[in-house]
Amino acid sequence: ERAREILERTKERETNKLGVEAMDLLDAYGIPTPTGEIVSDKQAAVEAAETIEGNVVMKIVSPDILHKSDIGGVEVNVPVEEVASTYEDLISRARNYQPDATILGVQVQEMLDLDSGTETIVGMNRDPQFGPLVMFGLGGIFVEVLEDATFRVAPVSESEATEMLDEIDSAPLLRGARGRDPVDEAAIVETIQRLSQLVTDFPAILELDINPLVAAPDGVSAVDIRATID
Ligand code: ADP
Ligand code: MG
């Protein structure tokens, strides 16, 4: 029901591209997301950061800017003293990039530990021949470099989702290679299934990417989402 409302609301907008505003969609399907808030002034940004433990991550929220780090629209590891000035920096970078960009605000998000977590990607696009294809692979910088990804037609069963995890070449990286703690594989499998259910329930979702889904030993967290809605 909540997911339906979120998708209805996007229809009223000029764009069919959804960014971090779509976090609620994942939340409605039980996919864990980091603690965070979208704010529209620097005072509110500071207040949001004060409710989050440790340093924060700040990101520009704009339907016109979907690749945020490309324009300097993501700042990680921001201490609370620097939140106000970072807010202004992010807004002015977005304005410089595109003066008429619609800027919805700035997302202030919990900072995840990427030393213990691995960036993966879970996505979907609709193939004219096969229908909704769910993708899983390594995320972050690896996804382009290694092209190590695997696909299944949605809806994806638990055993299919488990196969996907087994199939990628970098599976050992998730399973404790190089002295790292193994990540929570059950949480990845569950996320693949939940995303597959979401896109099965809503044919209007044409494309969706969680990049990264940070996979850690104690669970997963969908840090960034991008979607195209019909
Ligand atoms: P975009 O893909 O639009 O550039 P992301 O939200 O994916 O923006 O952020 C870019 C990168 O910044 C991520 O791939 C990740 O490495 C890092 N990052 C983003 N959010 C967090 C977070 N909450 N905790 C830790 N690292 C983060
Ligand atoms: Mg991203």
Side-chain angles (χ1 to χ4, degrees):
E1 219 19 66
R2 261 182 65 213
R4 193 176 306 281
E5 272 169 41
I6 296 160
L7 289 168
E8 284 298 324
R9 238 183 291 144
T10 66
K11 280 196 188 145
E12 292 152 23
R13 301 187 0 192
E14 285 165 32
T15 167
N16 65 343
K17 302 276 180 198
L18 278 186
V20 293
E21 324 91 274
M23 284 276 163
D24 290 346
L25 212 52
L26 300 182
D27 199 46
Y29 269 73
I31 297 174
T33 56
T35 305
E37 218 180 299
I38 298 170
V39 296
S40 50
D41 66 72
K42 59 181 176 182
Q43 187 51 42
V46 173
E47 281 163 20
E50 279 168 347
T51 68
I52 294 171
E53 205 185 318
N55 292 354
V56 296
V57 178
M58 296 175 69
K59 310 180 189 183
I60 197 74
V61 182
S62 163
D64 300 316
I65 302 166
L66 293 172
H67 297 269
K68 299 175 291 296
S69 20
D70 289 357
I71 66 128
V74 177
E75 286 288 344
V76 299
N77 209 10
V78 183
V80 71
E81 316 82 76
E82 288 172 20
V83 165
S85 62
T86 302
Y87 181 94
E88 309 246 278
D89 289 346
L90 290 172
I91 300 286
S92 70
R93 281 176 209 156
R95 287 256 168 270
N96 284 340
Y97 165 73
Q98 190 181 321
D100 63 350
T102 301
I103 296 171
L104 301 176
V106 166
Q107 185 184 37
V108 180
Q109 195 176 62
E110 162 196 9
M111 168 97 185
L112 299 176
D113 176 11
L114 291 181
D115 292 328
S116 68
T118 302
E119 296 193 46
T120 66
I121 173 167
V122 182
M124 183 280 299
N125 63 62
R126 293 189 189 271
D127 182 90
Q129 197 179 344
F130 298 105
L133 282 184
V134 172
M135 179 269 218
F136 172 71
L138 276 213
I141 51 169
F142 298 109
V143 69
E144 289 94 17
V145 180
L146 301 177
E147 289 178 25
D148 184 16
T150 177
F151 297 83
R152 287 290 184 288
V153 179
V156 177
S157 69
E158 184 178 348
S159 62
E160 285 176 311
T162 307
E163 279 169 21
M164 291 175 83
L165 218 154
D166 290 335
E167 243 165 51
I168 61 167
D169 296 334
S170 21
L173 216 71
L174 300 171
R175 294 185 163 144
R178 298 191 208 147
R180 294 164 63 91
D181 287 329
V183 305
D184 187 343
E185 292 185 37
I188 297 177
V189 167
E190 197 166 314
T191 301
I192 293 172
Q193 283 185 273
R194 286 173 187 265
L195 178 128
S196 134
Q197 194 57 54
L198 168 66
V199 302
T200 303
D201 293 346
F202 294 99
I205 303 175
L206 300 181
E207 220 174 2
L208 193 154
D209 275 307
I210 304 173
N211 182 15
L213 175 82
V214 172
D218 58 349
V220 297
S221 195
V223 160
D224 184 31
I225 174 177
R226 236 189 302 280
T228 308
I229 312 296
D230 181 14

